[in-house]
């Protein structure tokens, strides 16, 4: 229900681009104070970076109802003081875009703005529109005048449209800022998943990507997530995709999530690679509909765009989102268990090698804008693994019946879009909803400094964690082979990485391995023979190989190579694999975990 209330009426004129800028004018709500600040976000939800969007608001002017200019004073990049504000009627300013900015502190494109006359406009609305201090909760009526032939894609409520102008409504500044809009030549498709209308809209300057292809990539994932959740908490969702035909200013690709949409910045590359990236990124972004949209703390529910307070719970907002995006795919048939174990293996490796495994995750989360900024990337690695360990523990305590999947759905029911939890109470609330043992899980592994013993958690579901190791073993010389397609013989393809034994032997690129250790080698037996060689010999044994080496006139000459066997360090990475001997209860818990 909309009670008559004071509102902002904003007009953005995309038809007139002057010096790469567009003009914005706004009729303001009534002000009772003598002075008031016009504010623009320093930071926006989901980015966890300070961007100072006010830097792109230029030539700011405020006027009374008769059109007389009011005095203003710029206090910071993001705060402009308007004097005699009881008389305030309108403001106007010119917006510079961020995509081609040279102002420094570059804004990652999914949170940025683009003004590309005649081609494309990216309106992350917080980069075009501000609010008056204390008046964030007024209605916004957004009028956009756009060039002929373009289409405005957004999840925002479009209340009227004609061939040159759209009108959107947002209930308050938070909802406006939560809704990017992209104008370009129409290139869209729509479909339905679980009762939600899905829109895909693309800008691809060289038409390397079309919306039907994107639909084919994301639809199975969305269906898996619908099955995982039982119902979707949104009735509509927009995937808005901008493709670069040159390298983007940030040098990065990625996306930013919103409640009813996500905005993607991707390179124009081949379909195979792009399809994979879109599937992975969209699976993650779409799952944000659960958290933070429907499960968030007060810090996010009532977001302070100027002095944001961070929450302790990035393990959930980003980590559980990342974990669930993968789990839903393996659980509902979109990914094999082997592929999923490889994903988890990669996360264990990077969380241990690239990040501080002893840093309490709640600390990482609270200070991600300052002293733990360099650890932020771990939200996608260890954050997801916290989700995995918690999931397995919940399944174990409930005899398989209750997992993270159920907990997240129950939390969304308990809180939902409009009610927030107190940041300091979430761990206790989850404990009350589940088992007393879960409190010690959080105390130890999320608030505490103890690394998670993944070995122990994975063993509960019959997955063996083989840690990384180095062992000494006899070497063939660390040369790489290819197969000669004429006679299926093994050819030395590269000696770039050759070790000391290989050098002693004197292998050359192009040598065909005829005999090794007195056995004739071909495509059929080489793997078996090469591994048997390490069992047959000891350090110091004389090893012989016969190679066929091409000479200058193209003929092959038999050359005998010899050296004494020596051992070298061989590193193997940590590995996850299914245990060979498992108990009934391990298998039952694995079934409950991944439905495999
Ligand atoms: Zn995310």
């Amino acid at each position: 229900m909309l009670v008559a209330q004071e509102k902002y009426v904003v007009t953005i004129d995309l038809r007139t681009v002057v010096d790469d800028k567009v003009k914005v004018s706004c009729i303001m709500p009534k002000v009772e104070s003598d002075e008031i600040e016009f504010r623009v976000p320093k930071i926006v939800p989901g980015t966890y970076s300070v961007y100072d969007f006010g830097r792109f608001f230029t030539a700011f002017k405020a006027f009374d109802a008769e059109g007389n200019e009011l005095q203003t004073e710029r206090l910071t990049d993001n705060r402009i003081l308007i004097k005699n504000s009881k008389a305030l009627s309108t403001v106007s300013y010119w917006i510079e875009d961020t995509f081609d900015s040279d102002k420094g502190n570059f804004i990652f494109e999914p949170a940025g703005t683009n003004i590309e006359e005649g081609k494309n406009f990216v309106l992350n609305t917080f980069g075009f529109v501000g609010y008056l201090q204390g008046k964030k909760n007024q209605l916004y009526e957004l009028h956009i005048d756009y060039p002929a032939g373009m289409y405005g894609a957004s999840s925002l409520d479009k209340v009227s449209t004609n061939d040159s102008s759209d009108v959107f409504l947002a209930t308050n500044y938070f909802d406006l800022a939560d809704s990017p809009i992209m104008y370009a030549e129409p290139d869209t498709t729509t479909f339905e998943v679980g009762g939600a209308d899905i829109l895909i809209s693309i800008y691809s300057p060289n038409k390397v990507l079309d919306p039907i292809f994107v639909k084919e990539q994301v639809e199975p994932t969305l269906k898996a997530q619908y099955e995982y959740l039982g119902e979707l908490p949104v009735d509509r969702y927009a995937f808005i995709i901008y493709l670069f035909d040159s390298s983007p200013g940030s040098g990065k690709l990625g996306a930013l999530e919103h409640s009813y949409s996500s905005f993607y910045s991707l390179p124009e590359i081949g379909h195979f690679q792009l399809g994979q990236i879109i599937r992975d990124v969209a699976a993650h972004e779409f799952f944000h509909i659960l958290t933070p949209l429907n499960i968030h703390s007060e810090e996010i529910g009532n977001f302070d765009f100027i002095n944001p307070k961070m929450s302790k719970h990035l393990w959930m907002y980003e980590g559980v989102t990342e974990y669930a995006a993968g789990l839903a795919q393996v659980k509902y048939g979109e990914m094999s268990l082997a592929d999923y174990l490889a994903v988890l293996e990669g996360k264990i490796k990077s969380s241990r090698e690239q990040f501080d495994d002893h840093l309490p995750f709640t600390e990482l989360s609270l200070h991600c804008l300052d002293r733990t900024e360099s650890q932020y990337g771990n939200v996608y690695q260890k954050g997801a693994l916290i989700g995995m360990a918690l999931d397995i523990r919940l399944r174990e305590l409930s005899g398989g019946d209750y997992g993270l999947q159920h907990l997240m759905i129950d939390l969304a029911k308990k809180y939902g879009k409009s009610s927030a939890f107190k940041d300091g109470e979430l761990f206790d609330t989850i404990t009350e909803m589940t088992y007393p043992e879960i409190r010690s899980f959080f105390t130890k592994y999320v608030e505490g400094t103890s690394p998670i013993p993944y070995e122990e958690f994975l063993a509960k579901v019959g997955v063996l964690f083989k840690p990384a190791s180095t062992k000494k073993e006899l070497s063939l010389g660390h040369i790489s082979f290819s197969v000669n397609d004429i006679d299926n013989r093994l050819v030395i393809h590269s000696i770039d990485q050759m070790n000391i034994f290989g050098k002693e032997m004197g292998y050359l690129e192009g040598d065909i391995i005829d005999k090794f250790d007195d056995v004739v080698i071909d495509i059929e037996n080489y793997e078996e023979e090469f591994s048997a060689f390490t069992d047959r010999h000891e350090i110091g044994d004389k090893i012989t190989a016969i190679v066929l080496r091409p000479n200058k006139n193209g003929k092959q000459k038999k050359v005998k190579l010899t050296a004494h066997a020596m051992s070298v360090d061989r590193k193997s990475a940590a590995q996850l694999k299914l245990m060979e001997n498992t108990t009934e209860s391990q298998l039952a818990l694995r079934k409950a975990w991944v439905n495999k």
Side-chain angles (χ1 to χ4, degrees), residues 257 284-285 288 317-318 321 380:
E257 78 277 9
H284 174 101
E285 303 306 339
H288 275 304
Y317 308 136
E318 288 303 334
T321 296
Y380 305 107

Side-chain angles (χ1 to χ4, degrees), residues 492-511:
I492 297 181
H493 167 72
S494 167
I495 56 170
D496 290 351
Q497 310 271 316
M498 192 158 72
N499 62 25
I500 180 144
F501 176 75
K503 286 178 188 157
E504 295 269 317
M505 289 289 277
Y507 297 119
L508 292 182
E509 278 171 19
D511 283 354

Side-chain angles (χ1 to χ4, degrees), residues 311-324:
S311 155
K312 283 194 230 176
H313 300 295
L314 273 174
W315 70 274
M316 182 175 73
Y317 308 136
E318 288 303 334
V320 170
T321 296
E322 175 70 7
Y323 171 66

Side-chain angles (χ1 to χ4, degrees), residues 236-301:
R236 63 187 192 280
Y237 196 87
F239 291 91
I240 307 173
I241 303 174
Y242 179 97
L243 274 82
F244 276 91
D245 63 350
S246 55
S247 69
S250 68
K252 293 189 287 190
L253 61 86
L256 181 60
E257 78 277 9
H258 301 281
S259 300
Y260 296 96
S261 61
S262 38
F263 186 89
Y264 299 74
S265 164
L266 300 171
E268 280 196 320
I269 50 171
H271 262 198
F272 182 75
Q273 236 187 321
L274 201 50
Q276 182 66 45
I277 294 170
I278 289 171
R279 281 197 300 279
D280 289 349
V281 182
H284 174 101
E285 303 306 339
F286 186 72
F287 238 143
H288 275 304
I289 57 174
L290 200 53
T291 188
L293 171 62
N294 279 286
I295 312 169
H296 53 249
S297 67
E298 291 164 333
E299 283 73 9
I300 292 183

Side-chain angles (χ1 to χ4, degrees), residues 399-400 460-461 583-593 596:
K460 297 177 203 286
V461 289
T583 63
E584 292 273 313
S585 71
Q586 281 173 313
L587 287 181
L589 209 56
R590 184 194 297 165
K591 175 90 180 154
W593 176 46
K596 292 269 184 331

